[in-house]
């Protein structure tokens, strides 16, 4: 046998000379490992795209989400040129893999106190606002269609079909809001209202979407008043059911983590798995998975953080940040790729224009009216500038796209293209201009929100008392991680030698404590007077 | 409409009275979420089983792996009674999902110095030992068959088929070895030899298995000498290729983590993803994934640990421990379940007995001969007691089972049942008795291995010098995490006030340093004298 044929055989290439199929040294078997390989390749591609963004000098001026879409467009063009047809984004991949980690992180790190303080306004915006937007956008688009604005083809478009489209394009997207609001540092109250709205409107959006989907399948004539009553009841089922499922899983997880001491290694896994299970359980019953995982995170957090070990806690936090970050970037990357790869685009400039204008217009009107309503009851009013940012925060994103992909209506292709156009508009135009706008309007940003000296001293007193008591009893596990880290640098020199090294000496401890408080008070006064001058 | 039918409709149950299909409030859709739901349910079940084990008073006396098999048997009986046929363990699930995390952890936490010190002995055991075992077991079983020991049915069993079985049953299993050796605290050298063997024999096992698989397919008569030469070459390709792929991915990961500062959140994900990719890449080319991921871990570790942030490092470590732990437990759980669920068992007591006896006998002979060979060169000889533990450590586990499942030979059912019996024998009998045996033989355990006072002082000197220099230049990132943790409690009172709080004062630092060293030396002398009395 020649060297050449040996080499060929080594490469697993079979010769055609009728030689018997001998033992192959070198095999390639792609199909078996394809699924995990592709999955992890996407993770690496996303990470490298994010890394690339951070090294681009120009990039810092644009929001990350827009850059990821641009990277996605580039990858899409590349895949198109080499003629690879990769399925990158299906509704199931979006709703079962990419979305849950983002909402899980959002729920887990939700500032609970603030969220429940603002719950009234958030619910007003999420429920009334979304229903308002859906009907106004839907009927405006329908009216414009009847008037022949989109051309003759779409003159006879059914109102149920347009309302279905309205239901999916009306809701503000939590992923897009998170991506943009992370980068502009507006104050927490404004942020929680816009973000809370985008989370809680999911119940409404899912119900309206499924309602109009069923109605469209049934046909106009077959809808009875009972069906409409059922539609209203189903809102309670979907939103309430999702919330209840989330709270139950949250408490179960809180209980389970109490017992996990002997297998503390698994704590992080259990916390993340159970939160995800709450989402899946809600989805099984067609309830709002977003509400389930949000409330699961809100419910479990305080218990879990105290039950699990410190390294598990770091792993849970890092793991959630990490998964959410990758998913978020992957969604925008995929949106870019899908735009190029989708072969059934149907572009109608008038319809796209009408959609963008209607969405913006009714968002402005909706926020204006609802803020007026909310301000009747609110003590801390939503002022005009905050209303503008709130209007501007009505971003659309992956949720709308995943919903439009699962449509079965005759004008699906038109709707898909229009939804992409709307997402691009909000992510690029609104996403890029919101930062300058915030600066222009001098919106109260987070760092400028002064905590009064009294508050600062009191909260520090509480922290130090807890830390001090913890150190005396030799167990600081009740003291939040962040407090221990904050005071490690400053106070160790006072606390440590006195408390840890020798025997406990309370009088000395309280001396030190008093000294620290005085020092802090002085610093506070100094800082306040600095700021006034 | 009656209340009853409303309730039915609410439940999504359709009435059969010809009423039109109205709007459904309550849907159940299982198929869409089935895959992730089942996946995470298994994670929860495994965790609860492990938790249950830790609360069982009796359990502490049995190794965890045996308890997990028992739990698996219980679950299997339950599934059998309720008549659910769940596919729990396929070769792909084993090799692509369950095995990689375990080997990844093993490679990443490999004590590199010790491993390379012992590499000669390990390779001798892994390569020569496994080939020796395979042929001796194979031919013994074949001979017993020809002699009619298993009955007349198996008298005409082909020798290639038995050698194929021999190739999969000969290799020591890394997962079983890890599970048992974690619980008995033998000294590190002994441990690394047994465990190293179980890792590195994978190359041999894969090659021999695939070689005999091809030979069997080709038929006895068609095998040419060239095929056998190819078989030998393919050993170099499979083992060398796997190792090279692993090292390349390891260095790539080391390089990438150098650049990750701006996106430090993703560090943990990248490290774990890249290690897994090395495994998948090797598997694509039918090379040894186990060797790839082991050497990827060994290569990357030192670089990665220094490149990534502290919380990423904790997340990587916790993540790896966690994934490995869950996978390990799941494998044993599934082995238990599969034993009950498998409907094609073929039990032949004589064949089972012959397999167990041959495996044990040839293991004893193999280790005895190879130790003699190794001791010719070794300075620190493997003594008789260590040889016994080494023989005893020849456990079989999931790898053999996954390989036997992918067989296509006529006696597959017999081999599957026999492999399970062999696994049960090693996990239960050897796993349970190894602890008493270790105590009986007074094997040098880990804690009893004394480090000489000189070594202790020198290593502490090095650690403290690094820590001290780190604190002076204000950057301790070069100092391993473990060192920083170790000395935090003891030395902060000396180092911190002198170095961190005020300006750097070298003379004072060296005073402290000298003091610490003296103190340490004194403590060392005291400890040594304590031990002698």
């Amino acid at each position: 046998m020649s060297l050449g044929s040996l080499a060929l055989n080594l490469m697993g290439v079979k010769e055609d000379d009728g030689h018997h199929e001998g033992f192959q040294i070198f095999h390639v078997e792609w199909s078996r490992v394809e699924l995990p390989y592709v999955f992890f390749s996407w993770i690496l591609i996303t990470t490298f795209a994010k890394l690339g963004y951070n090294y681009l000098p120009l990039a810092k001026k644009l929001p990350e989400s827009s850059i990821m879409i641009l990277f996605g467009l580039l990858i899409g063009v590349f895949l198109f040129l080499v003629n690879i047809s990769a399925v990158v984004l299906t509704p199931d991949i979006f709703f079962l893999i990419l979305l849950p980690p983002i909402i899980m992180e959002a729920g887990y790190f939700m500032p609970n106190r603030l969220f429940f303080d603002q719950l009234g306004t958030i619910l007003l915006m999420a429920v009334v606002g979304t229903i308002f937007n859906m009907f106004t956008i839907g009927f405006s688009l329908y009216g414009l269609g009847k008037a022949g604005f989109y051309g003759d083809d779409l003159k006879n478009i059914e109102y149920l079909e347009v309302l279905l489209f309205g239901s999916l394009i009306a809701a503000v997207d939590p992923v897009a809001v998170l991506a943009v609001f992370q980068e502009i540092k507006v104050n927490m109250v404004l942020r929680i209202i816009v973000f809370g709205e985008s989370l809680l409107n999911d119940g409404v959006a899912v119900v309206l979407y499924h309602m109009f989907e069923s109605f469209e399948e049934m046909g106009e004539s077959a809808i009875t008043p009972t069906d409409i009553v059922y539609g209203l009841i189903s809102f309670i089922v979907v939103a309430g059911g999702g919330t209840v499922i989330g709270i139950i899983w949250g408490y179960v997880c809180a209980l389970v983590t109490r017992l996990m001491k002997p297998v503390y290694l698994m704590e992080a896994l259990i916390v993340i798995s159970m939160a995800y299970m709450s989402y899946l359980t809600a989805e099984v019953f067609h309830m709002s998975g977003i509400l389930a995982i949000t409330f699961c995170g809100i419910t479990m957090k305080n218990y879990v953080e105290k039950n699990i070990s410190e390294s598990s806690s770091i792993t849970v936090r890092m793991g959630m940040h990490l998964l959410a970050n990758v998913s978020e970037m992957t969604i925008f990357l995929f949106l870019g790729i899908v735009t190029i790869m989708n072969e059934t685009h149907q572009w109608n400039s008038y319809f796209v224009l009408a959609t963008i204008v209607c969405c913006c217009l009714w968002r402005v009107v909706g926020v204006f009216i609802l803020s007026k309503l909310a301000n009747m009851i609110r003590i801390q009013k939503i002022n005009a500038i905050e209303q503008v940012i709130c209007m501007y925060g009505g971003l659309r994103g992956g949720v709308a796209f995943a919903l439009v992909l699962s449509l079965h209506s005759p004008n699906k292709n038109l709707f898909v293209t229009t939804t992409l156009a709307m997402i691009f508009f909000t992510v690029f135009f609104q996403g890029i201009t919101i930062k300058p706008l915030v600066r222009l309007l001098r919106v109260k940003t987070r760092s400028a929100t002064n905590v009064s000296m009294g508050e600062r001293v009191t909260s520090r007193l509480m922290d130090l008392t807890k830390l001090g008591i913890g150190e005396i009893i030799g167990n600081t596990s009740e003291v939040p991680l962040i407090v221990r880290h904050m005071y490690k640098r400053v106070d160790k020199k006072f606390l440590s030698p006195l408390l840890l090294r020798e025997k406990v000496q309370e009088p000395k401890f309280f001396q030190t404590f008093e000294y620290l408080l005085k020092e802090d008070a002085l610093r506070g006064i100094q800082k306040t007077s600095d700021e006034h001058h």
Side-chain angles (χ1 to χ4, degrees), chain A:
Chain A
M1 197 180 241
S2 70
L3 259 181
S5 66
L6 182 84
L8 276 178
N9 217 335
L10 275 174
M11 299 294 290
V13 178
K14 284 160 202 155
E15 287 178 271
D16 285 2
D17 58 358
H19 184 272
H20 82 281
E21 243 193 65
F23 179 68
Q24 303 289 320
I25 295 172
F26 191 84
H27 300 259
V28 178
E29 195 183 358
W30 172 244
S31 62
R32 193 170 75 103
V33 296
E34 185 176 359
L35 189 73
Y37 214 98
V38 169
F39 182 81
F40 280 92
S41 297
W42 278 122
I43 290 185
L44 293 186
I45 290 172
T46 306
T47 314
F48 288 138
K50 199 177 153 78
L51 199 59
Y53 164 74
N54 277 281
Y55 279 103
L56 273 181
L58 177 133
K60 290 278 162 199
K61 288 167 193 162
L62 301 175
E64 210 174 27
S65 44
S66 61
I67 295 286
M68 294 307 281
I69 288 187
L70 289 180
F71 273 123
L73 291 174
L74 282 180
I75 296 174
V77 170
F78 170 76
L79 290 178
F80 180 77
L81 290 178
V82 299
N83 203 18
I84 295 175
S85 61
V87 177
V88 288
L89 193 58
T90 64
D92 275 358
I93 291 180
F94 181 82
F95 282 116
L96 298 183
I97 300 176
L98 295 174
L99 189 59
I102 302 173
I103 311 297
M104 169 163 63
E105 191 216 15
Y108 195 79
F109 292 100
M110 181 74 79
N112 291 3
R113 179 94 170 254
L114 199 62
F115 176 74
F116 287 108
D117 280 353
Q118 306 294 333
L119 194 59
T121 309
I122 293 172
L123 280 176
L124 190 70
M125 296 281 186
V127 180
V128 183
T130 305
I131 294 174
F132 172 82
N133 271 321
M134 196 227 97
F135 280 100
T136 49
I137 293 171
F139 281 114
S140 310
L141 287 177
Y142 178 67
L144 286 169
K146 277 282 161 227
F149 182 64
Y150 320 132
D152 290 337
D153 294 351
L154 293 172
K155 212 161 186 175
N156 296 318
I157 197 162
E158 268 190 73
Y159 78 89
L160 277 176
E161 205 183 341
V162 188
L163 279 180
L164 178 56
F165 178 66
S167 75
L168 67 88
I169 204 80
V172 174
D173 188 84
V175 183
V177 168
L178 263 179
V180 167
F181 274 65
Q182 256 162 20
E183 296 180 27
I184 58 166
K185 295 190 174 12
V186 298
N187 66 72
M188 281 306 280
V189 173
L190 184 52
R191 201 179 156 180
I192 207 100
I193 289 176
V194 179
F195 179 54
E197 178 201 340
S198 72
L199 279 178
L200 299 198
N201 70 18
D202 178 61
V204 185
V206 168
V207 171
L208 291 176
Y209 177 82
H210 283 299
M211 199 165 86
F212 285 109
E213 210 185 6
S214 316
F215 285 175
E216 211 205 335
E217 275 167 25
M218 283 149 55
E220 248 175 79
S221 53
I223 303 169
T224 63
T226 334
D227 289 326
I228 293 171
V229 173
Y230 278 1
L232 294 178
I233 298 177
S234 90
F235 170 67
I236 299 163
V237 173
V238 169
T243 308
V244 169
I245 287 174
I247 292 174
I248 292 173
W249 274 101
Y251 276 114
V252 169
C253 184
L255 280 173
V256 168
T257 48
R258 272 189 76 89
L259 308 168
M260 297 280 290
K261 276 264 150 50
V263 289
Y264 72 97
L265 260 177
M266 330 277 272
E267 284 165 349
L269 190 69
I270 277 291
V271 171
I272 289 178
S273 301
M274 285 203 160
Y276 184 53
M277 286 292 267
S278 75
Y279 183 91
L280 291 179
T281 308
E283 287 289 313
V284 170
F285 301 111
H286 271 260
M287 289 168 181
S288 167
I290 293 189
L291 285 174
I293 204 168
T294 304
F295 279 96
C296 181
I298 290 179
T299 310
M300 68 159 63
K301 187 189 177 186
N302 290 325
Y303 301 98
V304 163
E305 287 281 297
K306 267 157 202 159
N307 286 341
I308 66 180
S309 74
E310 197 163 324
S311 17
S312 293
S313 167
I314 294 175
T315 307
V316 168
R317 284 152 173 266
M318 279 291 281
M320 283 192 178
H321 282 316
L322 202 153
L323 292 174
N325 214 302
V326 172
S327 299
E328 196 180 299
M329 294 303 106
T330 309
I331 288 173
F332 290 112
L333 199 71
F334 280 6
L335 282 175
I337 296 173
V338 153
T339 308
I340 305 287
M341 303 284 283
N342 184 7
E343 285 167 0
T344 54
H345 277 302
Q346 187 184 332
W347 180 266
N348 181 323
S349 305
Y350 297 104
F351 190 73
V352 169
L353 187 70
T355 306
I356 294 177
V357 171
C358 285
C359 283
C360 295
L361 177 71
W362 292 116
R363 173 83 189 162
V364 168
V365 174
V367 170
F368 184 76
I369 296 173
L370 294 175
S371 306
K372 281 269 170 296
L373 280 176
N375 279 345
M376 285 181 184
I377 305 164
R378 288 179 69 93
I379 299 168
Q380 202 187 343
K381 310 289 180 201
I382 307 173
N383 63 34
I385 291 174
E386 285 169 340
Q387 285 176 31
V388 171
I389 296 297
C390 199
M391 292 162 186
Y392 222 78
L395 302 160
R396 267 62 164 190
V399 174
F401 182 73
L403 285 176
V404 83
L405 266 193
S406 30
L407 276 186
H408 296 288
S409 70
N411 291 300
K412 178 180 170 181
N413 295 338
L414 174 74
F415 292 157
V416 170
T417 308
T418 309
T419 306
L420 278 175
M422 182 69 205
I423 294 172
F424 277 47
F425 174 77
T426 56
V427 169
F428 281 90
F429 179 74
Q430 293 183 212
I432 292 172
T433 53
I434 199 166
K435 233 178 195 170
L437 187 77
V438 166
R439 235 176 287 133
L440 190 76
L441 296 177
R442 292 191 198 160
V443 184
K444 257 194 205 168
T445 56
R446 219 176 319 159
S447 53
T449 318
N450 282 320
V451 184
S452 76
M453 203 191 71
E455 277 181 83
R456 199 158 51 210
V457 171
T458 315
S459 84
R460 180 142 186 183
L461 174 62
M462 283 308 296
D463 285 345
L464 278 171
T465 309
K466 276 194 280 184
L467 189 69
I469 292 168
E471 300 245 322
I472 289 172
I473 62 172
N475 172 10
T476 54
S477 67
E478 290 290 312
V479 184
L481 213 66
I482 180 74
V483 172
R484 273 179 280 164
H485 271 283
M486 261 167 64
Y487 294 104
K488 210 198 292 179
R489 296 192 70 85
V490 190
D491 307 326
K492 263 281 151 69
K493 72 170 159 175
F494 298 101
L495 295 175
S496 307
L498 300 172
L499 293 171
L500 289 176
R501 308 294 159 235
E502 298 144 44
K503 296 233 172 81
V504 180
Q505 293 176 304
E506 284 86 353
K508 269 200 185 173
F509 167 67
F510 284 108
Q511 265 173 22
T512 316
F513 193 45
E514 220 176 46
Y515 168 83
L516 274 172
L517 271 179
K518 268 186 212 149
E519 191 193 45
D520 196 45
L522 280 172
R523 220 184 291 144
I525 292 165
Q526 204 174 7
K527 206 181 160 204
T528 319
S529 65
D530 281 356
E531 277 158 14
H532 281 279
H533 293 115

